[in-house]
């Protein structure tokens, strides 16, 4: 019965860990909607448009992947899309604590919501967008952690 799933995130920037989860999810579902959350207060490295462009270009050749964005509550977006399966990635036990509380909260907001967790390959378990942002800000080399398109074709504008 598994058909369509939503994979929400900030993707600021998209990392090899996200790509791993996306590839796993797109093997499991007929269609995967990657949706960029655009209303968080976190300091952004990339604009919404750039984050969307990077995702679209990275998954250009996967016909079962759709790229979208949303503002507001994820459960409201899920209702609009009539898709109640959410995919989230897990790296560590500390991710689990946070993700578990969020999944329960989302189910309280709408009991049709089912959150499915996929575990990343262990080689990506240390990668987070926030650590990449920090390394980048301190002039470190981020290319081993992110898809090539981010460092080669579309350099991040230094602030
Ligand atoms: P958010 O700000 O919503 O947490 P992120 O873009 O940081 O958005 O992450 C989106 C999802 O991807 C989350 O489920 C997160 O746990 C997962 N994720 C982030 N980094 C990795 C990684 N290296 N491996 C697997 N999953 C990851």
């Amino acid at each position: 019965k598994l058909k369509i799933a939503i994979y929400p995130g900030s993707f600021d920037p998209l990392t090899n860990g996200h790509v791993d989860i996306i590839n796993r999810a797109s093997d499991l579902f007929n269609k995967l909607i990657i949706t960029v959350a655009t209303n968080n207060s976190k300091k952004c490295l990339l604009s919404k448009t750039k984050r969307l462009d990077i995702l679209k270009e990275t998954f250009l050749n996967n016909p079962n992947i759709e790229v979208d964005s949303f503002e507001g509550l994820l459960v409201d977006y899920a209702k609009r899309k009539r898709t109640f399966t959410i995919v989230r990635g897990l790296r560590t036990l500390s991710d689990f604590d946070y993700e578990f509380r969020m999944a329960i909260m989302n189910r309280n907001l709408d009991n049709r919501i089912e959150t499915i967790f996929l575990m990343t390959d262990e080689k990506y378990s240390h990668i987070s967008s926030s650590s990449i942002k920090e390394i980048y800000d301190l002039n470190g080399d981020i290319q081993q952690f992110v898809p090539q398109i981010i460092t080669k074709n579309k350099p991040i504008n230094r602030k």
Side-chain angles (χ1 to χ4, degrees), residues 5 7 14 58 62 71 78 138 150:
Y7 180 44
L14 177 70
T58 306
N62 295 51
E71 256 185 275
L138 300 171
I150 294 178

PDB file of all heavy atoms in Angstrom, residues 5 7 14 58 62 71 78 138 150:
ATOM      1  N   ALA A   5       5.397   9.262  -0.622  1.00  0.00           N
ATOM      2  CA  ALA A   5       5.898   9.745   0.666  1.00  0.00           C
ATOM      3  C   ALA A   5       6.484  11.144   0.486  1.00  0.00           C
ATOM      4  O   ALA A   5       6.874  11.546  -0.618  1.00  0.00           O
ATOM      5  CB  ALA A   5       6.965   8.801   1.205  1.00  0.00           C
ATOM      6  N   TYR A   7       9.439  13.732   1.916  1.00  0.00           N
ATOM      7  CA  TYR A   7      10.686  13.851   2.684  1.00  0.00           C
ATOM      8  C   TYR A   7      10.943  15.341   2.918  1.00  0.00           C
ATOM      9  O   TYR A   7      11.394  16.048   2.022  1.00  0.00           O
ATOM     10  CB  TYR A   7      11.855  13.217   1.915  1.00  0.00           C
ATOM     11  CG  TYR A   7      13.194  13.284   2.628  1.00  0.00           C
ATOM     12  CD1 TYR A   7      13.318  12.991   3.979  1.00  0.00           C
ATOM     13  CD2 TYR A   7      14.357  13.633   1.941  1.00  0.00           C
ATOM     14  CE1 TYR A   7      14.540  13.045   4.630  1.00  0.00           C
ATOM     15  CE2 TYR A   7      15.588  13.687   2.578  1.00  0.00           C
ATOM     16  CZ  TYR A   7      15.676  13.397   3.920  1.00  0.00           C
ATOM     17  OH  TYR A   7      16.888  13.453   4.558  1.00  0.00           O
ATOM     18  N   LEU A  14      22.001  20.625   0.921  1.00  0.00           N
ATOM     19  CA  LEU A  14      21.810  19.192   0.689  1.00  0.00           C
ATOM     20  C   LEU A  14      23.148  18.503   0.952  1.00  0.00           C
ATOM     21  O   LEU A  14      24.191  19.008   0.527  1.00  0.00           O
ATOM     22  CB  LEU A  14      21.402  18.985  -0.783  1.00  0.00           C
ATOM     23  CG  LEU A  14      21.214  17.544  -1.267  1.00  0.00           C
ATOM     24  CD1 LEU A  14      19.965  16.923  -0.640  1.00  0.00           C
ATOM     25  CD2 LEU A  14      21.095  17.507  -2.791  1.00  0.00           C
ATOM     26  N   THR A  58      20.011  17.623  -8.949  1.00  0.00           N
ATOM     27  CA  THR A  58      20.600  16.377  -8.447  1.00  0.00           C
ATOM     28  C   THR A  58      19.738  15.166  -8.818  1.00  0.00           C
ATOM     29  O   THR A  58      20.267  14.094  -9.097  1.00  0.00           O
ATOM     30  CB  THR A  58      20.780  16.448  -6.913  1.00  0.00           C
ATOM     31  OG1 THR A  58      21.537  17.616  -6.606  1.00  0.00           O
ATOM     32  CG2 THR A  58      21.496  15.234  -6.359  1.00  0.00           C
ATOM     33  N   ASN A  62      15.678  11.006 -11.877  1.00  0.00           N
ATOM     34  CA  ASN A  62      14.799  10.102 -11.118  1.00  0.00           C
ATOM     35  C   ASN A  62      13.354  10.532 -11.343  1.00  0.00           C
ATOM     36  O   ASN A  62      12.879  11.452 -10.675  1.00  0.00           O
ATOM     37  CB  ASN A  62      15.074  10.175  -9.610  1.00  0.00           C
ATOM     38  CG  ASN A  62      16.451   9.673  -9.249  1.00  0.00           C
ATOM     39  OD1 ASN A  62      17.436  10.099  -9.830  1.00  0.00           O
ATOM     40  ND2 ASN A  62      16.523   8.770  -8.294  1.00  0.00           N
ATOM     41  N   GLU A  71       5.712  26.300   3.426  1.00  0.00           N
ATOM     42  CA  GLU A  71       5.810  27.168   4.595  1.00  0.00           C
ATOM     43  C   GLU A  71       4.733  26.721   5.557  1.00  0.00           C
ATOM     44  O   GLU A  71       3.716  26.178   5.141  1.00  0.00           O
ATOM     45  CB  GLU A  71       5.486  28.609   4.169  1.00  0.00           C
ATOM     46  CG  GLU A  71       6.691  29.501   4.039  1.00  0.00           C
ATOM     47  CD  GLU A  71       6.264  30.922   3.728  1.00  0.00           C
ATOM     48  OE1 GLU A  71       6.062  31.210   2.537  1.00  0.00           O
ATOM     49  OE2 GLU A  71       6.116  31.711   4.676  1.00  0.00           O
ATOM     50  N   ALA A  78       0.976  18.221   4.291  1.00  0.00           N
ATOM     51  CA  ALA A  78       0.598  16.828   4.030  1.00  0.00           C
ATOM     52  C   ALA A  78      -0.881  16.729   3.630  1.00  0.00           C
ATOM     53  O   ALA A  78      -1.240  15.996   2.707  1.00  0.00           O
ATOM     54  CB  ALA A  78       0.879  15.974   5.269  1.00  0.00           C
ATOM     55  N   LEU A 138      34.129  28.851   8.201  1.00  0.00           N
ATOM     56  CA  LEU A 138      35.523  28.960   8.664  1.00  0.00           C
ATOM     57  C   LEU A 138      36.504  28.615   7.538  1.00  0.00           C
ATOM     58  O   LEU A 138      37.656  28.262   7.782  1.00  0.00           O
ATOM     59  CB  LEU A 138      35.746  28.059   9.885  1.00  0.00           C
ATOM     60  CG  LEU A 138      34.844  28.399  11.087  1.00  0.00           C
ATOM     61  CD1 LEU A 138      34.959  27.350  12.178  1.00  0.00           C
ATOM     62  CD2 LEU A 138      35.156  29.779  11.648  1.00  0.00           C
ATOM     63  N   ILE A 150      27.051  21.399  -5.635  1.00  0.00           N
ATOM     64  CA  ILE A 150      27.104  22.502  -4.666  1.00  0.00           C
ATOM     65  C   ILE A 150      28.450  23.224  -4.699  1.00  0.00           C
ATOM     66  O   ILE A 150      28.509  24.445  -4.656  1.00  0.00           O
ATOM     67  CB  ILE A 150      26.777  21.991  -3.244  1.00  0.00           C
ATOM     68  CG1 ILE A 150      25.322  21.534  -3.216  1.00  0.00           C
ATOM     69  CG2 ILE A 150      27.045  23.050  -2.179  1.00  0.00           C
ATOM     70  CD1 ILE A 150      24.856  20.963  -1.918  1.00  0.00           C
TER      71      ILE A 150
END
